Amino acid sequence: MVDILAENLSGKAVMSSDGTELGDLYNITMDLKSGELNDLLVSPHEQLSTDRLSFDVDEMGRLRVPVANVQAVKDYIVVAR
């Protein structure tokens, strides 16, 4: 797997594998003890209906996408729904 610096991911667009644009990457959560990455926090696009998605939503309305759902990181971060 190719190493990617976190600073290169900030603000990157996030898209589901079916082509739906979800929003922009806000942050990534991690377990401080193990160093394991947990979730991508995605600021959803205004027109996106978050209640139709299977992802949890935090108190600020951001999508919590499990890192295990990431399929590719190129022009977009592609995630499985």
Side-chain angles (χ1 to χ4, degrees):
M1 179 173 218
V2 177
D3 290 339
I4 299 173
L5 296 175
E7 67 185 41
N8 295 336
L9 295 177
S10 181
K12 188 173 276 288
V14 180
M15 176 186 295
S16 70
S17 55
D18 67 2
T20 303
E21 290 192 31
L22 301 176
D24 299 316
L25 181 65
Y26 175 76
N27 210 343
I28 302 173
T29 64
M30 69 180 290
D31 182 314
L32 294 177
K33 290 183 181 179
S34 69
E36 182 178 352
L37 299 179
N38 295 327
D39 299 309
L40 304 181
L41 295 179
V42 179
S43 298
H45 289 306
E46 288 181 18
Q47 68 274 15
L48 183 70
S49 177
T50 58
D51 56 328
R52 294 178 37 193
L53 299 173
S54 60
F55 303 122
D56 291 336
V57 178
D58 72 3
E59 63 279 353
M60 300 298 291
R62 294 180 291 246
L63 303 172
R64 297 181 69 90
V65 179
V67 168
N69 288 36
V70 175
Q71 296 180 328
V73 179
K74 294 192 181 188
D75 293 337
Y76 287 89
I77 298 173
V78 180
V79 298
R81 287 174 68 171

